[in-house]
CSV table of all heavy atoms in Angstrom, one decimal:
chain,number,residue,atom,x,y,z
A,17,VAL,N,12.4,1.1,-16.8
A,17,VAL,CA,11.8,2.2,-15.9
A,17,VAL,C,10.6,1.5,-15.1
A,17,VAL,O,10.6,1.9,-13.9
A,17,VAL,CB,11.4,3.3,-16.8
A,17,VAL,CG1,10.6,4.3,-15.8
A,17,VAL,CG2,12.6,3.9,-17.4
A,18,ALA,N,9.8,0.7,-15.8
A,18,ALA,CA,8.7,0.1,-15.0
A,18,ALA,C,9.1,-0.8,-13.8
A,18,ALA,O,8.6,-0.8,-12.8
A,18,ALA,CB,7.7,-0.6,-16.1
A,19,GLY,N,10.2,-1.6,-14.2
A,19,GLY,CA,10.8,-2.4,-13.2
A,19,GLY,C,11.3,-1.7,-11.9
A,19,GLY,O,11.2,-2.0,-10.8
A,20,LEU,N,12.1,-0.6,-12.3
A,20,LEU,CA,12.5,0.2,-11.2
A,20,LEU,C,11.5,0.9,-10.4
A,20,LEU,O,11.5,0.9,-9.1
A,20,LEU,CB,13.4,1.3,-11.8
A,20,LEU,CG,14.0,2.5,-10.8
A,20,LEU,CD1,14.9,1.7,-9.7
A,20,LEU,CD2,14.7,3.5,-11.6
A,21,ILE,N,10.3,1.4,-11.0
A,21,ILE,CA,9.3,2.0,-10.3
A,21,ILE,C,8.6,0.9,-9.4
A,21,ILE,O,8.1,1.3,-8.3
A,21,ILE,CB,8.3,2.8,-11.3
A,21,ILE,CG1,9.0,3.8,-12.0
A,21,ILE,CG2,7.1,3.3,-10.4
A,21,ILE,CD1,8.2,4.6,-13.0
A,22,GLY,N,8.4,-0.2,-10.0
A,22,GLY,CA,7.8,-1.4,-9.3
A,22,GLY,C,8.6,-1.6,-7.9
A,22,GLY,O,8.0,-1.9,-6.9
A,23,HIS,N,9.9,-1.7,-8.1
A,23,HIS,CA,10.7,-2.0,-7.0
A,23,HIS,C,10.6,-0.9,-6.0
A,23,HIS,O,10.5,-1.1,-4.6
A,23,HIS,CB,12.2,-2.1,-7.4
A,23,HIS,CG,13.1,-2.4,-6.3
A,23,HIS,ND1,13.1,-3.4,-5.6
A,23,HIS,CD2,14.1,-1.5,-5.8
A,23,HIS,CE1,14.1,-3.2,-4.6
A,23,HIS,NE2,14.7,-2.1,-4.7
A,24,LEU,N,10.6,0.5,-6.4
A,24,LEU,CA,10.5,1.4,-5.5
A,24,LEU,C,9.2,1.5,-4.6
A,24,LEU,O,9.2,1.7,-3.5
A,24,LEU,CB,10.7,2.8,-6.2
A,24,LEU,CG,12.1,3.1,-6.7
A,24,LEU,CD1,12.1,4.3,-7.6
A,24,LEU,CD2,13.1,3.3,-5.6
A,25,ILE,N,8.1,1.1,-5.4
A,25,ILE,CA,6.9,1.1,-4.8
A,25,ILE,C,6.8,-0.1,-3.7
A,25,ILE,O,6.3,0.2,-2.5
A,25,ILE,CB,5.8,0.9,-5.7
A,25,ILE,CG1,5.5,2.0,-6.6
A,25,ILE,CG2,4.4,0.4,-5.1
A,25,ILE,CD1,4.6,1.8,-7.9
A,26,THR,N,7.4,-1.2,-4.0
A,26,THR,CA,7.3,-2.3,-3.1
A,26,THR,C,8.1,-2.0,-1.9
A,26,THR,O,7.8,-2.3,-0.7
A,26,THR,CB,7.8,-3.6,-3.8
A,26,THR,OG1,7.0,-3.8,-4.9
A,26,THR,CG2,7.8,-4.7,-2.8
A,27,ALA,N,9.2,-1.3,-2.1
A,27,ALA,CA,10.1,-0.9,-1.0
A,27,ALA,C,9.7,0.0,-0.1
A,27,ALA,O,9.9,0.1,1.0
A,27,ALA,CB,11.6,-0.6,-1.5
A,28,THR,N,9.0,1.1,-0.7
A,28,THR,CA,8.5,2.2,0.0
A,28,THR,C,7.1,2.0,0.6
A,28,THR,O,6.9,2.7,1.8
A,28,THR,CB,8.5,3.4,-0.9
A,28,THR,OG1,9.6,3.6,-1.6
A,28,THR,CG2,8.1,4.8,-0.1
A,29,ARG,N,6.3,1.3,0.1
A,29,ARG,CA,4.8,1.2,0.6
A,29,ARG,C,4.7,0.9,2.1
A,29,ARG,O,3.9,1.5,2.7
A,29,ARG,CB,4.2,0.2,-0.2
A,29,ARG,CG,2.6,0.1,0.0
A,29,ARG,CD,1.9,-0.7,-1.1
A,29,ARG,NE,2.8,-2.0,-1.3
A,29,ARG,CZ,2.5,-2.6,-2.6
A,29,ARG,NH1,1.6,-2.2,-3.4
A,29,ARG,NH2,3.2,-3.6,-2.8
A,30,PRO,N,5.6,0.0,2.7
A,30,PRO,CA,5.4,-0.3,4.1
A,30,PRO,C,5.7,0.9,5.0
A,30,PRO,O,5.5,0.8,6.3
A,30,PRO,CB,6.3,-1.5,4.2
A,30,PRO,CG,6.5,-2.1,3.0
A,30,PRO,CD,6.6,-1.0,2.0
A,31,LYS,N,6.4,1.9,4.6
A,31,LYS,CA,6.9,3.0,5.4
A,31,LYS,C,5.8,4.0,5.6
A,31,LYS,O,6.1,5.0,6.4
A,31,LYS,CB,8.2,3.6,4.8
A,31,LYS,CG,9.2,2.6,4.5
A,31,LYS,CD,10.4,3.2,3.8
A,31,LYS,CE,11.5,2.3,3.6
A,31,LYS,NZ,12.7,2.7,2.9
A,32,GLY,N,4.7,4.1,4.9
A,32,GLY,CA,3.7,5.1,5.1
A,32,GLY,C,2.5,4.7,4.5
A,32,GLY,O,2.1,3.6,4.0
A,33,ASP,N,1.5,5.7,4.5
A,33,ASP,CA,0.2,5.4,3.9
A,33,ASP,C,-0.2,5.9,2.5
A,33,ASP,O,-1.1,5.4,1.8
A,33,ASP,CB,-1.0,6.2,4.8
A,33,ASP,CG,-1.1,5.4,6.3
A,33,ASP,OD1,-0.6,4.2,6.4
A,33,ASP,OD2,-1.4,6.2,7.2
A,34,HIS,N,0.6,6.8,2.0
A,34,HIS,CA,0.3,7.4,0.8
A,34,HIS,C,0.1,6.5,-0.3
A,34,HIS,O,-0.8,6.6,-1.0
A,34,HIS,CB,1.4,8.4,0.5
A,34,HIS,CG,1.1,9.2,-0.9
A,34,HIS,ND1,0.1,10.0,-1.0
A,34,HIS,CD2,1.8,9.1,-2.0
A,34,HIS,CE1,0.1,10.6,-2.3
A,34,HIS,NE2,1.2,9.9,-3.0
A,35,LEU,N,1.1,5.6,-0.5
A,35,LEU,CA,1.0,4.7,-1.7
A,35,LEU,C,-0.1,3.8,-1.6
A,35,LEU,O,-0.8,3.3,-2.6
A,35,LEU,CB,2.3,3.9,-1.9
A,35,LEU,CG,3.5,4.7,-2.4
A,35,LEU,CD1,4.8,3.9,-2.3
A,35,LEU,CD2,3.3,5.2,-3.8
A,36,ARG,N,-0.5,3.4,-0.4
A,36,ARG,CA,-1.6,2.4,-0.1
A,36,ARG,C,-2.9,3.2,-0.5
A,36,ARG,O,-3.8,2.7,-1.1
A,36,ARG,CB,-1.6,2.0,1.3
A,36,ARG,CG,-0.5,1.1,1.7
A,36,ARG,CD,-0.8,0.7,3.2
A,36,ARG,NE,0.4,-0.1,3.7
A,36,ARG,CZ,0.7,-1.3,3.6
A,36,ARG,NH1,-0.1,-2.0,2.8
A,36,ARG,NH2,1.7,-1.9,3.9
A,37,LEU,N,-2.9,4.5,-0.1
A,37,LEU,CA,-4.2,5.3,-0.4
A,37,LEU,C,-4.5,5.6,-1.9
A,37,LEU,O,-5.6,5.5,-2.3
A,37,LEU,CB,-4.0,6.5,0.4
A,37,LEU,CG,-4.1,6.5,2.0
A,37,LEU,CD1,-4.0,7.8,2.5
A,37,LEU,CD2,-5.6,5.9,2.3
A,38,VAL,N,-3.3,5.9,-2.7
A,38,VAL,CA,-3.6,6.3,-4.1
A,38,VAL,C,-3.8,4.9,-4.8
A,38,VAL,O,-4.5,5.0,-6.0
A,38,VAL,CB,-2.3,6.9,-4.6
A,38,VAL,CG1,-2.1,8.3,-3.9
A,38,VAL,CG2,-1.1,6.1,-4.5
A,39,GLY,N,-3.6,3.8,-4.3
A,39,GLY,CA,-3.9,2.5,-4.9
A,39,GLY,C,-5.2,2.0,-4.7
A,39,GLY,O,-5.6,0.9,-5.1
A,40,ARG,N,-6.0,2.7,-3.8
A,40,ARG,CA,-7.3,2.2,-3.4
A,40,ARG,C,-8.5,2.9,-4.0
A,40,ARG,O,-8.3,4.1,-4.4
A,40,ARG,CB,-7.5,2.4,-1.9
A,40,ARG,CG,-6.6,1.4,-1.1
A,40,ARG,CD,-6.9,1.6,0.4
A,40,ARG,NE,-6.2,0.7,1.3
A,40,ARG,CZ,-6.2,0.6,2.6
A,40,ARG,NH1,-7.0,1.4,3.2
A,40,ARG,NH2,-5.6,-0.3,3.2
A,41,SER,N,-9.5,2.2,-4.3
A,41,SER,CA,-10.7,2.9,-4.9
A,41,SER,C,-11.8,3.3,-3.9
A,41,SER,O,-12.7,3.9,-4.1
A,41,SER,CB,-11.3,2.0,-6.0
A,41,SER,OG,-11.7,0.7,-5.4
A,42,ARG,N,-11.5,2.8,-2.7
A,42,ARG,CA,-12.4,3.0,-1.5
A,42,ARG,C,-11.7,2.8,-0.2
A,42,ARG,O,-10.6,2.2,-0.2
A,42,ARG,CB,-13.7,2.2,-1.6
A,42,ARG,CG,-13.6,0.7,-1.8
A,42,ARG,CD,-14.7,-0.1,-1.4
A,42,ARG,NE,-15.0,-0.1,0.0
A,42,ARG,CZ,-15.8,-1.1,0.6
A,42,ARG,NH1,-16.4,-1.9,0.0
A,42,ARG,NH2,-15.9,-1.0,1.9
A,43,SER,N,-12.4,3.2,0.9
A,43,SER,CA,-11.8,3.0,2.2
A,43,SER,C,-11.9,1.4,2.6
A,43,SER,O,-12.9,0.7,2.2
A,43,SER,CB,-12.5,3.8,3.3
A,43,SER,OG,-12.3,5.2,2.9
A,44,ALA,N,-11.0,1.0,3.5
A,44,ALA,CA,-11.0,-0.3,4.0
A,44,ALA,C,-11.7,-0.5,5.3
A,44,ALA,O,-11.7,0.5,6.1
A,44,ALA,CB,-9.7,-1.0,4.0
A,45,THR,N,-12.4,-1.5,5.6
A,45,THR,CA,-13.1,-1.6,7.0
A,45,THR,C,-11.9,-2.0,7.9
A,45,THR,O,-10.9,-2.3,7.5
A,45,THR,CB,-14.0,-2.8,7.0
A,45,THR,OG1,-13.5,-4.0,6.5
A,45,THR,CG2,-15.1,-2.4,6.0
A,46,VAL,N,-12.3,-2.0,9.2
A,46,VAL,CA,-11.3,-2.5,10.2
A,46,VAL,C,-10.9,-3.9,10.0
A,46,VAL,O,-9.6,-4.3,10.0
A,46,VAL,CB,-11.8,-2.4,11.6
A,46,VAL,CG1,-10.9,-2.9,12.7
A,46,VAL,CG2,-12.1,-0.8,12.0
A,47,ALA,N,-11.8,-4.8,9.7
A,47,ALA,CA,-11.4,-6.3,9.4
A,47,ALA,C,-10.5,-6.3,8.1
A,47,ALA,O,-9.5,-7.1,8.1
A,47,ALA,CB,-12.7,-7.1,9.2
A,48,GLY,N,-10.8,-5.5,7.2
A,48,GLY,CA,-10.0,-5.5,5.9
A,48,GLY,C,-8.7,-5.1,6.2
A,48,GLY,O,-7.7,-5.6,5.8
A,49,GLU,N,-8.5,-4.1,7.0
A,49,GLU,CA,-7.1,-3.5,7.4
A,49,GLU,C,-6.3,-4.5,8.1
A,49,GLU,O,-5.2,-4.8,7.9
A,49,GLU,CB,-7.2,-2.2,8.2
A,49,GLU,CG,-7.7,-1.0,7.4
A,49,GLU,CD,-6.7,-0.4,6.6
A,49,GLU,OE1,-5.5,-1.1,6.5
A,49,GLU,OE2,-6.8,0.6,6.0
A,50,LEU,N,-7.1,-5.3,9.1
A,50,LEU,CA,-6.4,-6.3,9.9
A,50,LEU,C,-5.8,-7.3,9.0
A,50,LEU,O,-4.7,-7.6,9.2
A,50,LEU,CB,-7.4,-6.7,10.9
A,50,LEU,CG,-6.9,-7.8,11.7
A,50,LEU,CD1,-5.8,-7.4,12.7
A,50,LEU,CD2,-8.1,-8.5,12.6
A,51,LEU,N,-6.7,-7.8,8.2
A,51,LEU,CA,-6.1,-9.0,7.4
A,51,LEU,C,-5.0,-8.6,6.4
A,51,LEU,O,-4.2,-9.4,6.2
A,51,LEU,CB,-7.4,-9.7,6.6
A,51,LEU,CG,-8.1,-10.7,7.5
A,51,LEU,CD1,-9.4,-11.1,6.8
A,51,LEU,CD2,-7.2,-11.9,7.7
A,52,SER,N,-5.1,-7.4,5.9
A,52,SER,CA,-4.1,-6.9,4.8
A,52,SER,C,-2.7,-6.9,5.4
A,52,SER,O,-1.9,-7.0,4.8
A,52,SER,CB,-4.6,-5.5,4.3
A,52,SER,OG,-4.4,-4.5,5.3
A,53,GLN,N,-2.7,-6.6,6.8
A,53,GLN,CA,-1.4,-6.7,7.4
A,53,GLN,C,-0.9,-8.0,7.8
A,53,GLN,O,0.3,-8.2,8.2
A,53,GLN,CB,-1.5,-5.8,8.8
A,53,GLN,CG,-2.0,-4.4,8.5
A,53,GLN,CD,-1.0,-3.6,7.6
A,53,GLN,OE1,0.2,-3.6,7.7
A,53,GLN,NE2,-1.7,-3.0,6.5
A,54,VAL,N,-1.6,-9.1,7.7
A,54,VAL,CA,-1.3,-10.3,8.0
A,54,VAL,C,-1.0,-11.3,6.9
A,54,VAL,O,0.1,-12.1,6.9
A,54,VAL,CB,-2.4,-11.0,8.9
A,54,VAL,CG1,-2.1,-12.6,9.2
A,54,VAL,CG2,-2.7,-10.3,10.2
């Protein structure tokens, strides 16, 4: 089950913001967002 959920998170995360937001403890700066995409 953990492996399946891990795969679903990895496959789904690039499609929206929700999973990124729930995994964060604070907001990212513009520079942080830029590098995270690269």
